[in-house]
Amino acid sequence: MKKIKLIAFAIASALTLSTLSSQAQISTPRPSPAGSVSTTVGLTDIEISYFRPQMKGRKIFGEGSDFLVPFGQKWRAGANSGTVITFGDDVKVAGQNVPAGEYLLILTPSASEWEIILYSDKSLGANVNGTEADKITVQTKVATSPLTEAVQTLTYQITDLSENSQNANIQMAWENTAINIPVEVSFDEEIMASIAKNTVVNPGNYAAAARYYYDTDRDMDQALEWINAYLAAGDNNKQFWNIYLKAQILAKKGDKKNAIKTAKQSKELATASPNGDFGYIKKNDELIASLK
């Protein structure tokens, strides 16, 4: 009986020590902490997940074995398991088609341009010399850009978003070097399908449809029909910002007389707005002046 009690006590003690051990972990900073950056380009979500090594006095990119990342050798584009780029929709990278999904980024530096590989099997991780040709989605080269100030910690950004929301750059910067990988997204087909579907379900979408047609230089007659239908509903004819859109559409159609008349109506409503004009008095004045 004593033996059984001793065994039970030993087991209980071991479990207690195990629990205490698991609860008493000491956390320290990682040499290459995890990082991520994401943004929406057009309607496409783009995310970069990576591990961020630091210079720590080392020479990073250059010719020969003295450098951490020698010219001519494939690099996992970060530390640990490498860098993964996720595209929420089909895109183009450096002009090449890339289906939506996750990709391992592999870089090969040189003095003037770097080789870029997007690899479809992210489980490759740090084994960048083990690539298989049928899993390479993009293989191209981009020029380097020198930096005037050293970047101590590897940094990725999604930059240079274009005014039409169709283009951006994935930028890598470390030490004295930056590269920009161009990305192009497409959303026109999706928006056109949404317009066809949702203006039937909810006529309140007519204003958004008219705005898209105006912004993308499509059929101004259709855009005018939609904005008129929207303004005719309820109290929408008091929305000076959408009346201004109508004036813009009329101007693009070449109907200067009615564009000026509509802009004056928008300005009058904006001037009388108790909540402020939000800049529409000036916008209407500028539109009217451009049409005279």
Side-chain angles (χ1 to χ4, degrees):
M1 187 68 178
K2 286 184 178 179
K3 208 170 195 179
I4 293 173
K5 286 183 178 180
L6 285 171
I7 292 172
F9 176 76
I11 292 171
S13 297
L15 289 172
T16 301
L17 288 171
S18 176
T19 302
L20 289 172
S21 176
S22 66
Q23 293 176 347
Q25 299 294 323
I26 297 175
S27 297
T28 59
R30 300 181 71 172
S32 300
S36 66
V37 61
S38 64
T39 194
T40 301
V41 181
L43 298 177
T44 300
D45 293 328
I46 300 176
E47 181 176 6
I48 305 167
S49 300
Y50 64 113
F51 294 92
R52 309 186 65 196
Q54 300 177 46
M55 286 179 61
K56 295 182 178 179
R58 299 174 295 184
K59 295 186 293 183
I60 307 301
F61 305 117
E63 189 73 55
S65 58
D66 289 341
F67 293 86
L68 180 66
V69 185
F71 287 164
Q73 291 189 21
K74 289 181 180 177
W75 174 48
R76 53 190 160 170
N80 301 334
S81 57
T83 295
V84 174
I85 302 177
T86 303
F87 301 107
D89 300 297
D90 296 352
V91 300
K92 286 187 176 182
V93 175
Q96 300 182 34
N97 292 326
V98 177
E102 297 180 320
Y103 297 89
L104 194 67
L105 176 64
I106 301 172
L107 303 175
T108 304
S110 71
S112 58
E113 60 181 10
W114 286 26
E115 182 184 73
I116 310 298
I117 288 177
L118 288 184
Y119 197 71
S120 63
D121 183 5
K122 68 174 187 176
S123 68
L124 181 72
N127 183 29
V128 292
N129 290 316
T131 57
E132 300 174 24
D134 61 340
K135 295 180 180 179
I136 295 176
T137 303
V138 168
Q139 187 168 12
T140 188
K141 291 184 178 181
V142 297
T144 61
S145 300
L147 297 173
T148 55
E149 294 185 15
V151 175
Q152 294 292 324
T153 305
L154 174 65
T155 300
Y156 283 91
Q157 298 183 75
I158 301 169
T159 65
D160 306 322
L161 274 69
S162 62
E163 289 186 6
N164 64 9
S165 300
Q166 293 182 342
N167 301 91
N169 282 322
I170 292 172
Q171 183 186 82
M172 186 245 36
W174 197 19
E175 195 188 35
N176 299 311
T177 301
I179 61 168
N180 289 293
I181 306 170
V183 178
E184 180 181 349
V185 303
S186 177
F187 46 78
D188 186 71
E189 186 176 335
E190 183 177 348
I191 291 178
M192 292 299 289
S194 180
I195 287 173
K197 176 182 178 182
N198 293 314
T199 51
V200 174
V201 176
N202 179 10
N205 289 310
Y206 281 140
R211 164 60 66 188
Y212 186 69
Y213 264 45
Y214 174 81
D215 287 342
T216 55
D217 293 322
R218 294 179 184 272
D219 185 346
M220 289 301 106
D221 289 331
Q222 178 64 78
L224 183 61
E225 181 181 329
W226 278 334
I227 197 62
N228 280 335
Y230 177 80
L231 293 172
D235 293 331
N236 291 348
N237 60 356
K238 297 178 182 178
Q239 296 178 2
F240 53 84
W241 54 94
N242 279 318
I243 294 174
Y244 173 73
L245 172 59
K246 177 180 176 179
Q248 288 181 298
I249 293 169
L250 287 165
K252 191 169 279 192
K253 275 173 55 66
D255 188 348
K256 292 185 178 181
K257 179 181 177 181
N258 283 312
I260 291 172
K261 180 180 177 181
T262 304
K264 288 180 177 179
Q265 180 189 357
S266 173
K267 179 182 176 181
E268 182 179 339
L269 289 168
T271 303
S273 172
N275 298 316
D277 71 292
F278 306 106
Y280 277 87
I281 293 175
K282 182 181 179 182
K283 287 183 177 182
N284 280 293
D285 283 339
E286 290 175 346
L287 179 60
I288 291 167
S290 72
L291 296 171
K292 289 182 176 179

